[in-house]
Amino acid sequence: MSLKKLIDPASVAIVGVSTKKAAFQVGGRAIFDHLRLHGYDQRIDLVTREKAVIDGIETVTSLRELSHVPDCVVISVPADDVYTAVEEALGLGVRAFVVVTGGFSESGEEGAAKQARLAALVRSHGAAMLGPNTTGFVNLGRRVALSSTSRITSSLPRPGVVGLVVQSGALGSALMEEAERAGIGLSHVISTGNEAATGLADFVQFLADDPATRAIALYVEGIRESGRLLAAARSAHAAGKPVALYKAGRSEAGRRTAAGHTGALVGERGAYEAAARQLGWVDVAAIEDLLPVAQYVATAGATRSLGILTVSGGYGGCVADALESSGAVSLPAPGEATVARMRADIPAFLSTRNPVDIAGTPFRRPEGFATCLDAFADDPAFDGIAVANTPIVPPWAENVADAMLAAGRRTGKPISLVSPSEIFNGATLGRLRREGVPVFTRIDTFVAAVTGAAAADAARRAPSRLLREGRPEGQEPRLDGAPVTLSEAASKELLKARGLAFPREAFVPGADSAAILAAAREVGYPVTLKAMAAGVVHKSELGLVAVAVPDAAALQARIAAMLDSIETHALTLEGFLLAETVRPQAEVILGLGLDPEFGPTLTFGAGGIYTEIMRDVAVRMLPLDRQEVAAMIRSCRIAALLDGARGRPALDVEALTDLAAAVADLAPGLGDDFAGLELNPVGVGRAGEGAWILDATVFRMGAPS
């Protein structure tokens, strides 16, 4: 599928155009008006029910009446007529469509069936289709305003380097408003609609290949084809194009399919945050920050040490506090030579630490502020500068702008303005934006941009295995059933067959006391005893686990107590598991899951009784290399205990890392119905002793409901 004729068509035909004049046009007529308004200079054909003349163009009543095959056909007819219109166009050779009509999957089961039929038709011809239920797109560089949104009836944002893809047409309008207000240049604005045949991944891939685009901004409500999106993200990474993304939430399917402790621990954003980290995406927390952050990472690049020059010690301190909290950059003190160059223009009582408070003194002479800024820009301690100003009188603001532009051109260092003065200093801020200087009116937005640029740079310098290799095929999650829990014994047998090692153990079906005692002698005392009951995952809560039972008499007493508990709770006994007793110094949890949007995940955290109490957990997408697994373990608070906190002996982190890496490598081979794996607890011994899987649960996806 090529999107060239969709996004940059040499000719457009619009099927379904109102012949009536109205103050507020919609659908196909709105798209026609916007194309003409914003200078689309290629051929436009209009298809109406009856022949007419609209704005000087004679309409036809069928595409078959045209003497040529349009590059792109816009469909704006009732939902029941869309299939026929697309079928006719495909028969003529059209391979690009924009379907603005609603009434498909967003409207219920009947609409979803219509959409599935339409999608199958389009895919069978290898065509591209934006929508249905889309407001369309704008190709800013080529002046193709193929959008019905009323936002563009007045003006378009300026062309630029940020490609924007949104899963909401109305939000796309709001973001275009923000782009024009903030002077952010866009290459494209694409509203994906229902994504019946051509979706988010296709447009990310298109922008990754597009020479006009240097960064990609996404507003995402749900991810339908995670494997294809990951492949497109790898293409963007290879092209050196950072991706900034605002994720609106996690799908209901994700909550339905979460299994066991692991699913609860991952939470609503765990897998998304892991994907963002490993793919080098810039995770934007506020939708207002999406475009400013994308613009910054596209043009300014990463800053690891920042100098802050401010006219207000208080405001500069606020910027410094926010940056230090983010951990994205260091704020070193300026060098002695820098301070000496500035000293003539700032009073002795003002701070020369970072941030440097210059107050208003430098503005007493025309070149005073420029002298201070030049000294900062020349300081080798800083690879980026932030000028943090409260509102200042307009002539001073112009001095600041002149100095910033000159210093930026001379040194090549990114110099940003952070200033909540959109009204009082609006003319200067607008001038700087037009000159390509990063301008921020909110500290949070500036910090998000600096943090995002650092994250994108880290991914470029040390790409994850997911970026380097992609994800193996055949790991798209199944969401058509509910998780079914295998017993511990069955789970362990399955995992043993796939190469995982366990302490010595034996399973005895039923409650045959003699057989249980014989198995205990084979395993060896002290023995750990577990009663297995149908559907019970967390056995210790019901008194069905006894650790380090010393002898046969104690074992018989434990068996009797467990049988009483099973009877009290009306459980169905499956048998007893007897295991070698090991002496862990700490307990952790390892889990595999299949996130409905991002695919297979590995979870690590504090285990045993602390799993849900501490909620100390890290999540990563698969595949992972051993170094990434080790870093994942180190990211959790329990790592301090594993390292031997407060004089305790160091534990066997190497063995734990080996085990976690082996668990991660299991994911491709656990079957199409795999829904989750939980190893909890995993015991960790002292350095050199090893790590042991003490309990295991495998979840399978049941039959579709």
Side-chain angles (χ1 to χ4, degrees):
M1 177 198 305
S2 171
L3 300 189
K4 170 69 174 175
K5 290 187 176 182
L6 176 65
I7 303 298
D8 188 16
S11 59
V12 174
I14 306 175
V15 180
V17 183
S18 172
T19 59
K20 298 178 181 178
K21 290 186 176 181
F24 177 69
Q25 297 286 11
V26 297
R29 179 59 187 265
I31 289 176
F32 170 63
D33 289 347
H34 294 157
L35 286 170
R36 297 293 288 266
L37 174 66
H38 296 297
Y40 180 68
D41 57 4
Q42 305 294 318
R43 176 166 178 165
I44 303 174
D45 290 289
L46 305 178
V47 180
T48 54
R49 291 186 180 276
E50 297 179 355
K51 289 185 179 293
V53 177
I54 302 175
D55 198 16
I57 295 180
E58 293 186 9
T59 72
V60 296
T61 59
S62 169
L63 290 172
R64 288 188 295 270
E65 297 177 38
L66 299 177
S67 60
H68 73 293
V69 177
D71 272 2
C72 179
V73 170
V74 178
I75 305 293
S76 180
V77 297
D80 288 340
D81 299 331
V82 168
Y83 185 94
T84 301
V86 171
E87 186 176 41
E88 177 186 37
L90 288 168
L92 296 173
V94 176
R95 292 297 181 265
F97 298 89
V98 175
V99 180
V100 299
T101 306
F104 289 88
S105 64
E106 81 282 2
S107 66
E109 291 185 8
E110 183 179 347
K114 291 179 185 176
Q115 180 169 306
R117 183 168 174 253
L118 176 63
L121 174 68
V122 172
R123 289 195 183 106
S124 70
H125 287 76
M129 179 176 72
L130 181 61
N133 189 34
T134 177
T135 56
F137 70 89
V138 182
N139 180 339
L140 278 300
R142 304 286 290 176
R143 308 294 293 180
V144 185
L146 208 157
S147 171
S148 63
T149 178
S150 59
R151 167 61 187 77
I152 64 173
T153 55
S154 58
S155 60
L156 295 176
R158 71 182 189 186
V161 298
V162 176
L164 173 64
V165 185
V166 296
Q167 290 182 324
S168 166
L171 188 64
S173 296
L175 290 171
M176 280 194 279
E177 180 79 6
E178 169 64 17
E180 190 161 5
R181 183 198 67 79
I184 295 171
L186 303 176
S187 64
H188 302 80
V189 180
I190 302 169
S191 170
T192 63
N194 291 2
E195 300 184 24
T198 308
L200 183 68
D202 299 296
F203 296 112
V204 172
Q205 183 66 62
F206 171 82
L207 294 174
D209 297 334
D210 176 51
T213 301
R214 290 172 56 189
I216 301 168
L218 307 177
Y219 167 79
V220 176
E221 294 176 350
I223 292 173
R224 298 168 176 85
E225 297 176 301
S226 62
R228 297 184 64 242
L229 181 59
L230 294 179
R234 293 183 68 216
S235 294
H237 170 76
K241 298 183 181 182
V243 176
L245 181 144
Y246 178 89
K247 180 70 165 58
R250 181 169 173 171
S251 68
E252 178 63 26
R255 287 185 283 274
R256 287 201 310 269
T257 58
H261 283 295
T262 305
L265 286 170
V266 169
E268 292 195 0
R269 289 176 62 86
Y272 159 68
E273 290 173 352
R277 178 187 299 108
Q278 290 169 253
L279 292 172
W281 289 344
V282 180
D283 181 12
V284 178
I287 189 61
E288 295 85 357
D289 296 342
L290 178 61
L291 291 180
V293 169
Q295 174 81 359
Y296 184 87
V297 298
T299 57
T303 298
R304 285 173 288 280
S305 61
L306 191 75
I308 303 174
L309 198 66
T310 180
V311 300
S312 164
Y315 190 66
C318 291
V319 175
D321 288 345
L323 285 168
E324 287 180 335
S325 297
S326 75
V329 297
S330 63
L331 301 174
E336 292 182 6
T338 301
V339 174
R341 288 174 62 181
M342 296 169 48
R343 183 53 73 188
D345 288 294
I346 60 175
F349 62 84
L350 291 178
S351 170
T352 54
R353 293 174 294 179
N354 192 6
V356 173
D357 180 8
I358 61 172
T361 306
F363 297 102
R364 293 176 179 174
R365 62 189 188 98
E367 65 275 15
F369 180 82
T371 298
C372 293
L373 182 59
D374 283 345
F376 243 52
D378 291 340
D379 195 321
F382 308 134
D383 56 19
I385 309 296
V387 176
N389 284 348
T390 50
I392 54 179
V393 295
W396 290 7
E398 284 301 302
N399 284 347
V400 169
D402 291 341
M404 290 179 67
L405 290 167
R409 286 191 292 264
R410 182 174 60 82
T411 66
K413 290 184 178 180
I415 303 177
S416 303
L417 178 65
V418 188
S419 179
S421 53
E422 190 74 70
I423 297 174
F424 192 56
N425 298 136
T428 300
L429 268 59
R431 174 191 169 198
L432 287 171
R433 285 167 173 151
R434 289 190 296 274
E435 294 285 347
V437 174
V439 174
F440 301 90
T441 56
R442 295 175 62 249
I443 293 173
D444 287 349
T445 306
F446 174 61
V447 174
V450 172
T451 302
D457 183 64
R460 282 192 294 268
R461 291 171 177 270
S464 66
R465 184 179 173 189
L466 192 61
L467 271 179
R468 298 193 311 268
E469 301 177 9
R471 195 176 75 193
E473 294 183 3
Q475 293 186 15
E476 292 289 339
R478 247 189 65 192
L479 303 176
D480 54 357
V484 174
T485 305
L486 300 189
S487 69
E488 181 180 349
S491 297
K492 286 182 174 178
E493 285 303 313
L494 186 152
L495 296 174
K496 287 176 185 176
R498 284 160 176 76
L500 291 190
F502 293 83
R504 290 192 310 276
E505 59 184 26
F507 176 69
V508 179
D512 185 334
S513 180
I516 296 170
L517 290 171
R521 289 193 296 273
E522 183 70 23
V523 170
Y525 289 102
V527 70
T528 294
L529 177 71
K530 299 179 182 181
M532 316 299 291
V536 175
V537 176
H538 309 303
K539 296 175 282 294
S540 59
E541 297 172 6
L542 301 176
L544 302 182
V545 178
V547 178
V549 180
D551 52 38
L555 183 62
Q556 287 179 312
R558 291 290 190 175
I559 294 170
M562 290 181 186
L563 290 173
D564 286 343
S565 177
I566 285 173
E567 183 177 355
T568 299
H569 294 94
L571 303 174
T572 301
L573 177 70
E574 294 176 337
F576 286 87
L577 186 70
L578 298 104
E580 171 190 4
T581 298
V582 295
R583 304 291 183 181
Q585 303 299 305
E587 292 183 341
V588 300
I589 183 173
L590 284 170
L592 287 179
L594 275 179
D595 182 79
E597 293 182 328
F598 290 100
T601 62
L602 178 71
T603 303
F604 170 83
I609 64 172
Y610 299 109
T611 297
E612 291 179 346
I613 296 173
M614 294 180 64
R615 302 188 70 82
D616 176 28
V617 65
V619 182
R620 298 290 185 271
M621 304 305 300
L622 299 180
L624 294 166
D625 59 31
R626 192 180 188 282
Q627 183 177 358
E628 291 173 297
V629 172
M632 178 185 186
I633 293 171
R634 296 289 179 199
S635 71
C636 291
R637 296 190 302 276
I638 199 173
L641 180 62
L642 299 175
D643 286 337
R646 305 192 67 170
R648 298 182 59 171
L651 305 189
D652 203 337
V653 178
E654 289 297 308
L656 176 60
T657 304
D658 289 340
L659 175 58
V663 171
D665 289 342
L666 286 177
L670 289 172
D672 293 339
D673 62 348
F674 172 71
L677 165 64
E678 188 173 290
L679 307 179
N680 186 29
V682 171
V684 187
R686 290 182 174 87
E689 291 181 347
W692 311 280
I693 302 172
L694 305 181
D695 201 346
T697 305
V698 172
F699 301 93
R700 292 296 194 194
M701 190 63 69
S705 56

